[in-house]
Every structure is written in structure tokens, then in C-alpha cells.
Amino acid sequence: MSAEPRNGGRVPAPLLGLVLAGGRSTRMRTDKAALLYAGRSQLERAMELIAPHVQRAYVSVRADQGQDPLRARFPQIRDLQDNLGPIAGLLAAQAAHPQAAWLVLACDLPLLDAATLAHLVRCRAPERCATAYRSSHDGLPEPLCAIWEPRSAAPLTAYVTRGRQCPRRFLLGADTYLIDEPDPHALDNVNTPEEYRSVMSALLPESTSNPKHITVQYYALLREQAGRRDEALVTQARTAAELYTELARRYPFSLPQEMLRVAINAEFRDWTAPLRDGDAVVFIPPVAGG
Amino acid sequence: MPAFQFTRTPILPEQLRAALADPACGGYCAFEGWVRDSNEGQPVRGLEYEAFEALGVREGERILAEAMERFGAAHALCVHRLGALAVGELAVWVAVSAAHRDEAFRACRYIIDEVKHRLPIWKKEHYLSGESGWVNCERCATAPKQAEREEARHVHDHA
């Protein structure tokens, strides 16, 4: 650990974390931040990965996502501009903390591991605009697993003012310090259900169950606590009980599973009944008809 | 008409009971559940019913079939209100016709008891105090919230 500071002795800007979870997930057709990997949402996983490297980690959200229960549990930075893509999140973060450098992480990088992130932080060049990985696919900078220094803020604002919004092209034109990925697949991202299935099969031993597309409807108290009436999700849960356990980590459910019943495809079922692709699940809180 | 139904408009028993008329039946029994102005000592302003209708209708039909089978009733109907109801409104209506009064009484009692226990229907009471709560859910629901508040206070104290 004898690495010399690269900035000629100046103290690097403090590093804050920004997890981007404001995308519209149009190709996945379900909220990517909520996709479950090994029982945790992508957003929770990204927040855990980033935490050891930063003084504080924030979730970047669109203006209309602040109340979403999945995101509401984390400190947030709200986009100030619409339809700018990921750059809006970065600009809002730089505006909120102009003295800080930002470790930016997209939440949809399921193969990203702690070692890859630690390598990036170790290689940080604070005297440059940014430190980023060079993509193993096309050689271009990876803007959404990168460190953005405070000095990138002014040129980035000017870039957006010129009507541009591609962070990759910005980094290509800036004095970005580019490093190679230790693992060529660590930054593969996941945008479609097909990519999700492919990544899941890469992540999991064959004995583990395959991901299933499940719809869940919420009623009464659970509807209020989930903040939604229904959702479509992809899960590895083998049973309704496992699915409830997963969802109870995402939402502030107050009812223990023992107090609920479960229906699959509009029939009461055992909690241990196997879930199948396409099933519609309803968790039934204590009833009070009549 | 299906024997079990949900409705978002007022239940009109005088129109419904004609469906139970049968020259072979000498007994007719109906039960009406009304919205009461208090629950467990709290004054109630009104309430809301919500149901998982697809399962509720299936399970309701099963309850009615069981009642007719067990007690030998000839006809049975049940209608349950959904949505916002004021004190005094009719929330659930059960009616049975049978050859004799005993089958009608027993089948009617069976249906309302099973409806209360088995159907995926939830009731949110709005109290005069301005508070509201999901019946049978809140007692267990408030405990973790209290624990969270205490945890938050604990963290705050030591911050």
C-alpha cells in the first residue's frame, strides 16, 4: 500500500456514492431496481456494494420516484431535469455536493463484484475528470461504474447545454483515466427479461431454481404498505413463502407470514406449494367480511 | 344470477328475495349485517370493504353449496357490499329457503359464519377520532411500527 497520490500531494475530494435507479426500465417491462438476485433487489445489492467505499451513498431518483417504498428507505438525490437519462442524476448530485467526487454505479449490473469496485477506487486518478473502466466489449468508457471528480461538473454542464446527453461520449472527450476490467463480464448490464435469465443462469448453480415471472396483487393493509395494487416481478423464490420473505425485505410489511394465507391463481394454496412461471399470487391478510 | 355476489351499490333485499320463492319451500330465513356505530369501544363514522373478488366469488359459491348440502336447504343467496359504507347501511345479506324452518335457520347461520371467516374481504373502519384501521390487522401491525420508532429514537440519541 505504498501508492503515491496522483494529484501531486493535494487531498482528493471526498468520495460520495450515487446509485442510479431512475431509469424507466422500458425494455425489462418491470422496475429494474426491484429485480431480485439471490433474494435481494438490485438496488439493495448496489447500495451494499458501494457503501464500504464512500462517506455516504445516495439513490438517484426521478422526481416522481421519491415515495417509492423500495427507494424511500435510502438517502435520495432527485433529478432536477427530465428526460436527460443518467446524466440528470449526476448533475443533481454535483449540484447538491459540489466539493465531492462521486462513485457512480448503475443498479443494473448484477455481475459487478466487490473486487471490481475496489479496483476502480484503488486506481482513482483525482487529478483527472473521471476514472472509468474501458469496456471489454467496445473499448469505450463505462460511465455508470466510474468515479466522477468535482472538476467534471463544469464541462458536463456545458456538454448538456449543447444538447448532448450521452455520458459515455462525454468521458471519451474528457481527460478520463481509463483502466481495464479485471473481469471482462463484471460490467455486463441487464435490460431485457432474456438478458436477466441469461445472467441468472450464469450466476446460479444448476441445482438452484430458475427465475419465474410472477404477478402479485396486494389488498388492504398490504396494498397500503407496498404502495401499489400489483406488480410483475421476476424471482427465484421456489414457494409462496419464499416470495413473501423476499417481498417483506422490500416493503415495510408488518404482518408476519403466519397471520396470512396465500392464493395462487385465485385459489387458496399451501405456503409450500411450488411457484411456477406465470403464477398470480395474492397474500391474504386476516379477513373481516360481514 | 350467481348465488354469491359482490356489489358496489346498495343491496335491495326486497328485490332479491323473489329468487328464493319456491312452492316446495315452507321456510325462508334471511340475515342482514349492518354497519354499527362502534367497534371495541371506538365510535365508528363509516367503513370501507375491499375484496379479492375472483377468489371471493369462488369461495362464496362453495359456502352456499356446502350449506345446501349439509342442511338440505333448497335455495341460498348471499350478497356482500364493497366500497365506502355509512353507519346503518346494509353490508351483507344472506337468504335461504327450505322445506322447513329448521333447515333455513341453520343454513343461514352457517353461511354468515363461514363468510366472515373464509372470504378474502377486508374492512377498514374510520373512527370519529379521525383515525382508521384495518379490522383484525392493526393490532399486529402497530407493534413493529412502535419498535421502529423506538429504534429510530435510539439511533438519534446516540448520533
Side-chain angles (χ1 to χ4, degrees):
Chain A
M1 303 290 104
S2 61
E4 289 296 314
R6 294 170 189 277
N7 60 347
R10 279 191 297 125
V11 178
L15 194 56
L16 299 180
L18 186 68
V19 172
L20 297 171
R24 295 186 185 272
S25 307
T26 46
R27 284 176 288 171
M28 187 64 84
R29 302 189 299 277
T30 184
D31 182 0
K32 282 201 290 187
L35 276 182
L36 298 175
Y37 292 91
R40 280 178 309 164
S41 68
Q42 292 207 107
L43 178 57
E44 290 169 293
R45 184 171 178 277
M47 291 299 286
E48 283 173 28
L49 272 174
I50 207 169
H53 301 293
V54 297
Q55 292 185 0
R56 189 156 197 228
Y58 297 83
V59 182
S60 165
V61 298
R62 297 197 309 267
D64 58 348
Q65 288 176 318
Q67 298 307 313
D68 171 61
L70 177 62
R71 293 163 171 85
R73 67 167 72 166
F74 300 114
Q76 298 181 353
I77 291 186
R78 291 193 189 197
D79 288 0
L80 304 172
Q81 290 164 275
D82 264 343
N83 299 318
L84 260 189
I87 276 190
L90 184 54
L91 286 175
Q94 289 178 328
H97 299 273
Q99 308 302 323
W102 289 93
L103 175 53
V104 172
L105 194 58
C107 78
D108 60 344
L109 300 170
L111 298 178
L112 179 71
D113 54 1
T116 300
L117 205 54
H119 184 66
L120 174 71
V121 173
R122 223 167 22 241
C123 294
R124 176 183 174 190
E127 76 282 5
R128 304 287 194 96
C129 261
T131 304
Y133 279 116
R134 185 185 290 115
S135 166
S136 60
H137 297 294
D138 53 19
L140 296 173
E142 288 287 2
L144 304 186
C145 175
I147 297 172
W148 294 71
E149 301 294 338
R151 57 193 301 272
S152 67
L156 189 62
T157 304
Y159 179 77
V160 169
T161 308
R162 293 200 301 276
R164 314 289 298 274
Q165 52 176 274
C166 174
R168 196 183 300 273
R169 290 190 184 284
F170 172 84
L171 288 183
L172 204 56
D175 68 336
T176 306
Y177 182 57
L178 286 177
I179 58 177
D180 286 317
E181 297 175 50
D183 166 1
H185 290 294
L187 298 178
D188 289 1
N189 77 353
V190 168
N191 289 308
T192 64
E194 291 69 32
E195 287 173 4
Y196 177 82
R197 279 194 285 276
S198 149
V199 162
M200 291 306 298
S201 55
L203 276 179
L204 295 168
E206 283 177 18
S207 59
T208 319
S209 67
N210 292 321
K212 292 167 278 279
H213 293 70
I214 301 286
T215 58
V216 182
Q217 284 178 289
Y218 299 102
Y219 288 95
L221 185 62
L222 292 178
R223 171 175 52 73
E224 293 179 353
Q225 291 175 338
R228 60 181 73 208
R229 289 183 181 279
D230 52 58
E231 66 183 315
L233 48 84
V234 183
T235 177
Q236 305 164 55
R238 287 165 300 184
T239 62
E242 288 185 10
L243 181 61
Y244 188 73
T245 303
E246 287 184 2
L247 292 168
R249 289 198 201 107
R250 277 167 53 187
Y251 301 121
F253 291 157
S254 57
L255 295 168
Q257 185 206 307
E258 303 78 61
M259 296 195 58
L260 307 178
R261 299 182 71 190
V262 65
I264 301 174
N265 303 327
E267 287 293 356
F268 289 113
R269 299 294 300 273
D270 286 339
W271 282 100
T272 54
L275 283 181
R276 284 172 305 212
D277 196 54
D279 277 348
V281 177
V282 178
F283 301 108
I284 299 178
V287 301
Chain B
M1 189 183 84
F4 182 91
Q5 306 181 62
F6 289 109
T7 178
R8 286 182 167 70
T9 55
I11 300 169
L12 303 170
E14 56 280 13
Q15 294 180 10
L16 293 164
R17 68 192 290 276
L20 291 108
D22 183 338
C25 290
Y28 167 87
C29 181
F31 171 82
E32 296 189 1
W34 301 345
V35 178
R36 200 176 48 226
D37 70 356
S38 72
N39 187 25
E40 295 182 357
Q42 289 220 68
V44 170
R45 181 164 49 88
L47 51 78
E48 282 170 63
Y49 282 109
E50 177 173 336
F52 174 19
E53 294 183 55
L55 176 58
V57 167
R58 287 185 185 180
E59 190 74 354
E61 296 279 350
R62 281 192 283 258
I63 291 169
L64 294 171
E66 287 163 15
M68 291 195 285
E69 167 81 20
R70 286 189 187 204
F71 306 104
H75 308 278
L77 290 183
C78 178
V79 183
H80 202 295
R81 267 296 287 280
L82 296 179
L85 277 75
V87 168
E89 279 199 87
L90 180 47
V92 59
W93 179 80
V94 179
V96 176
S97 57
H100 307 99
R101 67 184 183 283
D102 192 46
E103 296 98 284
F105 273 121
R106 293 171 67 189
C108 188
R109 174 71 194 239
Y110 176 84
I111 292 165
I112 187 60
D113 286 350
E114 295 298 306
V115 162
K116 276 175 162 299
H117 286 116
R118 286 165 52 185
L119 292 200
I121 301 172
W122 300 278
K123 176 160 64 179
K124 188 174 199 176
E125 290 180 332
H126 296 279
Y127 305 107
L128 280 183
S129 64
E131 296 184 326
S132 61
W134 291 100
V135 174
N136 297 339
C137 294
E138 298 295 327
R139 177 177 47 80
C140 28
T142 50
K145 281 184 192 157
Q146 182 63 32
E148 276 169 25
R149 276 198 295 276
E150 281 170 12
E151 192 183 332
R153 218 168 23 242
H154 180 82
V155 169
H156 181 76
D157 284 346
H158 292 258

